[in-house]
Amino acid sequence: MTNEQSQRLDALILQVSDLVDHLMDLRDTLIQHMKTGCFNIAQARLGTAMGWVTLSSAQYPEDMTALSVTEVEDATTGKLSLRKQSGKDPLKWFGVLVPKTLKDAQKGFTEALPIVLEIAAVQSHIQALTEEYEEVRAALPHTPSPHTPQQPQPPHEAVVQPASTS
């Protein structure tokens, strides 16, 4: 293994390690946004004077459309983006006096969308670096990849000499 190859493998491992750390932070942030959004929806359903019925899926319009759409900007890099669409604000489906907790839930879920896209981008980058690592490692002489299962070696046969009878 040359020094250059060794340094490249080390750099790839460090990059993947940093990206995995960043990915874990992003997932923690996403979990917090999702928990907050779900909790606020539950609070809005229970905390209104109007009760459960007023915040149900029965109020969704049949021609409901998403306000944001994910688009692939670059297929080679896997870069994604959010594009806003015109449409009616979903909070308007529930009347004029929308509970603050429902507005907070919408805000939490809306803030989670870019985090989801960033998570997807980081995971794609980790996969690309892992593939590059495997390519560099495969180019090395006689160094099997840690992900490649090794064939078990057959046991050595012992030669047994007959005992002498004297």
Side-chain angles (χ1 to χ4, degrees):
M1 176 182 333
T2 67
N3 191 29
E4 183 179 309
Q5 289 171 321
S6 176
Q7 287 178 351
R8 183 63 190 146
L9 289 175
D10 290 346
L12 288 169
I13 289 171
L14 289 174
Q15 281 182 302
V16 169
S17 177
D18 289 342
L19 285 172
V20 167
D21 186 47
H22 181 57
L23 180 63
M24 298 308 294
D25 291 341
L26 287 172
R27 286 184 176 170
D28 288 342
T29 304
L30 177 63
I31 288 169
Q32 284 306 114
H33 283 291
M34 298 301 289
K35 278 183 182 178
T36 301
C38 290
F39 180 74
N40 283 329
I41 284 178
Q43 260 189 326
R45 292 183 83 180
L46 290 173
T48 62
M50 295 173 267
W52 284 86
V53 179
T54 59
L55 298 176
S56 71
S57 60
Q59 291 179 293
Y60 299 168
E62 290 182 22
D63 61 340
M64 178 173 53
T65 59
L67 293 179
S68 298
V69 176
T70 304
E71 294 180 333
V72 177
E73 283 184 12
D74 185 0
T76 58
T77 63
K79 182 153 174 67
L80 303 172
S81 67
L82 277 178
R83 180 176 52 89
K84 302 280 185 191
Q85 292 192 141
S86 62
K88 186 176 180 183
D89 183 3
L91 291 181
K92 304 273 191 263
W93 302 340
F94 300 100
V96 179
L97 298 174
V98 178
K100 181 180 181 334
T101 51
L102 195 56
K103 290 178 184 177
D104 291 343
Q106 182 187 39
K107 180 182 177 195
F109 291 130
T110 302
E111 290 174 353
L113 282 174
I115 296 169
V116 171
L117 294 181
E118 189 173 355
I119 286 172
V122 169
Q123 287 176 328
S124 293
H125 195 190
I126 289 172
Q127 183 178 0
L129 290 174
T130 303
E131 289 170 2
E132 183 180 348
Y133 176 87
E134 292 297 327
E135 289 173 7
V136 171
R137 182 134 177 136
L140 296 176
H142 307 297
T143 53
S145 168
H147 302 298
T148 306
Q150 295 188 5
Q151 299 295 325
Q153 297 294 326
H156 295 294
E157 294 183 24
V159 177
V160 179
Q161 296 288 334
S164 62
T165 57
S166 23

